[in-house]
C-alpha cells in the first residue's frame, strides 16, 4: 500500500508532507484536498491524519488507518516512459539507389536500434509503409495491401520507350472493373541504357498496350500513374497503340510513328475506335506534377533535360508539342495546355485529358487513401518520411509533403530524411505543411556517386540518430 512506504512529516500546523522518492504529496486540512502527481483526491473535513509518537520528534507518527484507506494505489511516476510507441515510416524511393520499400526498411532498422538502446524491449513498434506518388514504384508499394483486398497482379510484355529494344515485363493491378497502371513499368527512364536514349524518338506506345489490355479485361475504372518516363511525345505512341490514326505527311501505315516531330506534319486525326472502346470508362491520372504542357514551366523545359534533351533538342520538342497541342485543341474544341498536370510525363497528362477525358488527382493522396494511411496514422507517435532529393518540387505535392499534411491534421509530428536538400527550400514553408524537420543523410561533403552507393548505411545511421534524439527529447520534456 501507498502509506506503508511513506515517511509522514508534519511541517506546520494543519499541514503534512508525504515524501516518496523525490516526489511530494501535500495534504492540507485548510483546503481539504490531497495533491498527488497527475491526480487529485478530496478528503473529508476534520479527518484525523495521525498522532505524533513523541511531541519532541516530529518525524514519527501513528497513521490513522481510516485516512489511508483513501489511497489504494501508488501515485504515478512523474515522467513515466511510454508503455507503447509506434513509428510510421513512409518513404518514397531514392532513385538510382533505393526503392521505396528498401529505403523504408533501412529507416526501420535504424529506428528499432535506437529503440532497443533507449527504450525497454517491446515498447516500440515500427511500421514500414512504402510510398509512391504515381511514378516509379507505384505498383510495388500498393501490391501487398491491395492484393489482400482482392486485387490481382496482371503481367504482360510491352514495348519500352525505345521501340527497337526488347520488350519489358509490365505489371498492373486488377480487381473486377478496376485497374491501376504505372506508366513507368513500360516507359521508365531506367529501362533504357544511357547510351541508347533518344528523346526525339522515345515512344509511349507501351503504355497504350497496357491500357488496351485493361480494356480487353473489361476494366472501366482506370487509374494511371504518371512519372519517371523517358518520353516527351505528348502521348503519340500511346494513342496509336489504342487505334488512333493521323492524317498528314507521315502516313497512317501499320508501323507506329515514333518521331515526336511528326506532330508538326499531322493535319487531322481519327479517334472513333478509341471513343468506342472508352464508352462508360472513367480515367484518373495520378501525378505529383502540376506543370502545364508548354512554356518555361512545361514538360520540355522542366523535365526534358533529365531525359537527355540538349538545348537544341528542347527547342525542337517544344515546337512539336506546340503543333500537337494546336491540333488537339482544334479537334476537341477545348484548350487543355495550361491544365494542371498537362505537362506530366512528357505531355502524357495532356494526352490522357484530350483523348480519354482523364481527370487529374494528386497521386500521393490517392495512394495514401488506397493504403488506408489515416488508419495507420491514428496510433502513431511519430512519422518519418523522405525521398532522394527534397527540393522546390517537393512542396508542389510530392510524396513527403502529402504524408506530412495528413500527419499534421492528426497532430502527429513528421520528420524527413533525404539524400539531398535544396538550400532554396524555405524551412518555414515546410513547417506550415506539417514537416517539423528535414535532415540530409550525407555525413558531410560527399560526391553523389558515393552517397548513392552508401545509401543504405547512411540512411540507417541517420534514422538511428534522429530517433535517438527524439526519444531523448521526450525524456527531457
Amino acid at each position: 500500500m501507498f502509506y506503508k512506504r511513506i515517511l509522514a512529516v508534519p511541517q506546520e500546523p494543519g499541514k503534512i508532507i508525504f515524501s516518496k522518492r523525490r516526489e511530494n504529496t501535500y495534504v492540507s486540512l485548510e483546503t481539504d484536498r490531497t495533491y498527488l502527481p497527475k491526480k487529485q483526491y478530496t478528503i473529508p473535513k476534520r479527518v484525523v491524519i495521525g498522532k505524533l509518537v513523541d511531541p519532541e520528534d516530529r518525524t514519527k507518527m501513528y497513521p490513522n488507518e481510516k485516512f489511508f484507506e483513501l489511497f489504494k494505489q501508488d501515485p504515478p511516476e512523474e515522467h513515466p516512459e511510454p508503455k507503447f510507441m509506434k513509428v510510421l515510416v513512409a518513404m518514397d524511393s531514392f532513385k538510382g539507389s533505393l526503392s521505396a520499400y528498401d529505403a523504408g526498411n533501412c529507416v526501420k532498422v535504424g529506428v528499432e536500434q535506437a529503440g532497443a538502446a533507449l527504450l525497454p524491449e517491446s515498447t516500440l513498434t515500427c511500421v514500414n509503409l512504402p510510398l509512391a506518388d504515381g511514378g516509379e514504384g507505384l505498383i510495388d508499394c500498393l501490391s501487398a495491401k491491395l492484393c489482400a483486398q482482392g486485387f490481382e497482379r496482371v503481367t504482360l510484355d510491352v514495348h519500352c520507350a525505345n521501340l527497337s529494344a526488347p520488350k519489358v515485363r509490365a505489371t498492373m493491378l486488377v480487381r473486377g472493373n478496376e485497374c491501376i497502371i504505372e506508366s513507368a513499368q513500360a516507359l521508365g527512364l531506367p529501362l533504357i541504357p544511357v547510351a541508347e536514349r533518344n528523346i526525339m524518338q522515345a515512344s509511349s506506345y507501351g503504355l497504350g498496350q497496357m491500357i488496351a489490355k485493361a480494356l480487353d479485361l473489361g476494366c472501366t475504372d482506370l487509374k494511371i500513374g504518371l512519372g519517371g518516363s523517358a518520353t516527351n511525345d505528348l502521348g503519340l505512341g500511346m494513342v496509336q497503340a489504342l487505334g488512333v490514326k493521323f492524317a498528314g505527311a507521315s502516313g497512317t501505315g501499320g508501323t507506329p510513328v515514333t518521331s515526336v516531330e511528326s506532330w508538326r506534319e499531322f493535319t487531322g486525326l481519327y479517334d472513333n475506335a478509341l471513343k468506342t472502346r472508352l464508352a462508360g470508362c472513367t480515367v484518373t491520372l495520378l501525378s505529383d506534377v502540376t506543370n502545364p504542357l508548354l512554356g518555361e514551366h512545361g514538360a520540355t523545359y522542366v523535365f526534358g533535360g533529365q531525359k537527355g534533351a540538349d538545348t537544341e533538342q528542347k527547342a525542337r520538342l517544344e515546337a512539336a508539342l506546340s503543333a500537337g497541342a494546336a491540333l488537339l485543341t482544334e479537334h476537341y474544341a477545348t484548350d487543355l495546355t495550361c491544365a494542371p498536370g498537362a505537362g506530366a510525363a512528357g505531355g502524357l497528362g495532356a494526352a490522357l485529358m484530350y483523348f480519354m477525358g482523364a481527370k487529374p488527382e494528386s497521386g500521393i493522396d490517392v495512394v495514401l487513401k488506397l493504403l488506408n494511411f489515416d488508419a495507420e496514422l491514428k496510433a502513431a507517435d511519430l512519422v518519418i518520411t523522405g525521398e532522394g532529393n527534397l527540393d522546390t518540387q517537393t512542396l508542389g505535392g510530392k510524396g513527403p509533403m502529402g504524408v506530412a499534411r495528413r500527419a499534421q491534421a492528426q497532430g502527429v509530428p513528421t520528420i524527413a530524411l533525404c539524400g539531398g536538400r535544396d538550400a532554396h527550400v524555405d524551412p518555414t514553408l515546410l513547417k506550415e505543411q506539417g514537416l517539423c524537420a528535414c535532415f540530409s543523410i550525407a555525413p558531410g561533403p560527399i560526391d553523389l556517386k558515393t552517397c548513392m552507393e552508401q545509401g543504405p548505411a547512411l540512411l540507417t545511421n541517420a534514422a538511428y540518430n534522429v530517433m535517438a534524439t527524439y526519444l531523448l527529447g521526450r525524456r527531457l520534456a
Side-chain angles (χ1 to χ4, degrees):
M1 300 296 290
F2 178 43
Y3 66 88
K4 290 182 180 179
R5 294 184 292 172
I6 293 177
L7 177 64
V9 184
Q11 298 293 310
E12 57 183 85
K15 190 171 289 186
I16 288 180
I17 292 180
F18 292 90
S19 297
K20 177 177 179 287
R21 300 189 184 96
R22 289 182 293 177
E23 300 169 358
N24 289 329
T25 301
Y26 296 89
V27 180
S28 173
L29 294 182
E30 297 172 358
T31 60
D32 297 327
R33 290 193 180 277
T34 297
Y35 297 95
L36 294 175
K38 299 185 180 180
K39 289 188 179 181
Q40 181 171 296
Y41 300 87
T42 300
I43 62 174
K45 289 184 178 181
R46 295 184 298 278
V47 67
V48 178
I49 297 176
K51 295 182 180 180
L52 293 175
V53 176
D54 182 349
E56 300 299 326
D57 186 352
R58 298 170 63 86
T59 64
K60 297 179 181 179
M61 68 178 298
Y62 295 116
N64 181 345
E65 295 295 333
K66 291 183 179 179
F67 169 76
F68 285 108
E69 283 297 316
L70 297 171
F71 308 97
K72 293 295 186 181
Q73 296 180 345
D74 285 349
E77 295 289 340
E78 188 172 354
H79 297 293
E81 292 287 357
K83 292 182 179 179
F84 176 81
M85 177 180 289
K86 177 180 177 180
V87 178
L88 182 57
V89 177
M91 301 294 290
D92 207 335
S93 63
F94 282 48
K95 291 182 180 178
S97 179
L98 292 163
S99 68
Y101 176 82
D102 290 338
N105 198 49
C106 289
V107 173
K108 185 174 184 288
V109 170
V111 167
E112 291 176 342
Q113 288 175 349
L118 298 171
L119 283 179
E121 290 185 7
S122 75
T123 61
L124 188 146
T125 297
C126 188
V127 177
N128 179 14
L129 197 67
L131 292 180
D133 46 30
E136 179 185 353
L138 175 66
I139 297 299
D140 286 341
C141 88
L142 292 176
S143 287
K145 194 83 170 181
L146 296 190
C147 286
Q149 299 175 15
F151 278 84
E152 296 181 356
R153 292 170 62 93
V154 175
T155 60
L156 66 159
D157 293 328
V158 298
H159 285 289
C160 66
N162 181 356
L163 296 186
S164 62
K167 290 185 177 181
V168 296
R169 178 60 58 93
T171 302
M172 310 182 298
L173 294 177
V174 176
R175 181 181 66 182
N177 71 327
E178 301 174 80
C179 182
I180 301 174
I181 296 172
E182 175 192 327
S183 63
Q185 291 265 330
L187 312 180
L189 190 61
L191 297 176
I192 306 176
V194 175
E196 298 177 14
R197 294 175 186 174
N198 181 358
I199 193 170
M200 304 304 298
Q201 298 290 328
S203 173
S204 56
Y205 195 89
L207 175 59
Q209 293 175 301
M210 297 177 74
I211 295 172
K213 178 65 174 180
L215 295 175
D216 290 342
L217 293 173
C219 297
T220 57
D221 181 358
L222 308 182
K223 292 180 174 62
I224 303 175
L226 302 181
S229 77
T231 61
N232 202 90
D233 70 344
L234 186 52
L236 175 59
M238 174 187 72
V239 296
Q240 289 182 94
L242 290 167
V244 175
K245 304 295 184 182
F246 292 91
S250 293
T252 56
T255 303
V257 176
T258 59
S259 173
V260 64
E261 292 186 287
S262 297
W263 280 112
R264 302 177 66 177
E265 303 175 8
F266 295 147
T267 58
L269 63 91
Y270 309 96
D271 61 353
N272 289 336
L274 177 58
K275 286 181 178 179
T276 300
R277 298 198 71 182
L278 290 175
C281 291
T282 299
V283 181
T284 304
L285 66 88
L286 313 180
S287 176
D288 64 324
V289 170
T290 58
N291 300 67
L293 176 65
L294 304 172
E296 63 177 329
H297 300 297
T300 299
Y301 285 108
V302 173
F303 304 107
Q306 302 172 9
K307 305 174 185 184
D310 57 28
T311 302
E312 185 265 339
Q313 289 175 323
K314 288 179 183 178
R316 291 166 57 193
L317 289 168
E318 184 74 0
L321 265 58
S322 295
L327 176 64
L328 297 177
T329 297
E330 179 181 0
H331 182 83
Y332 291 103
T334 184
D335 186 356
L336 298 174
T337 56
C338 292
L348 279 172
L352 288 166
M353 294 179 202
Y354 276 119
F355 287 96
M356 303 183 192
K359 303 298 182 184
E361 289 192 26
S362 165
I364 186 60
D365 286 344
V366 172
V367 168
L368 292 177
K369 182 178 180 180
L370 290 171
L371 291 174
N372 203 15
F373 182 78
D374 288 347
E376 290 281 1
L377 193 58
K378 285 182 179 178
D381 297 278
L382 175 68
V383 174
I384 299 178
T385 186
E387 61 180 348
N389 187 42
L390 192 148
D391 53 22
T392 53
Q393 291 184 32
T394 304
L395 290 170
K398 294 180 73 175
M401 299 316 300
V403 168
R405 286 195 297 267
R406 292 206 173 207
Q408 183 183 44
Q410 295 197 32
V412 182
T414 302
I415 296 173
L417 295 174
C418 53
R421 174 181 171 180
D422 191 334
H424 296 95
V425 176
D426 187 348
T428 303
L429 296 178
L430 297 177
K431 183 66 171 66
E432 288 175 354
Q433 297 194 47
L435 199 56
C436 300
C438 175
F439 301 95
S440 169
I441 67 172
I446 186 173
D447 62 89
L448 178 60
K449 182 175 181 293
T450 302
C451 191
M452 292 176 69
E453 290 174 350
Q454 299 179 5
L458 294 176
L459 187 53
T460 300
N461 291 338
Y464 177 93
N465 289 327
V466 164
M467 192 64 201
T469 302
Y470 173 79
L471 292 174
L472 291 173
R474 282 178 61 111
R475 182 175 295 179
L476 295 173

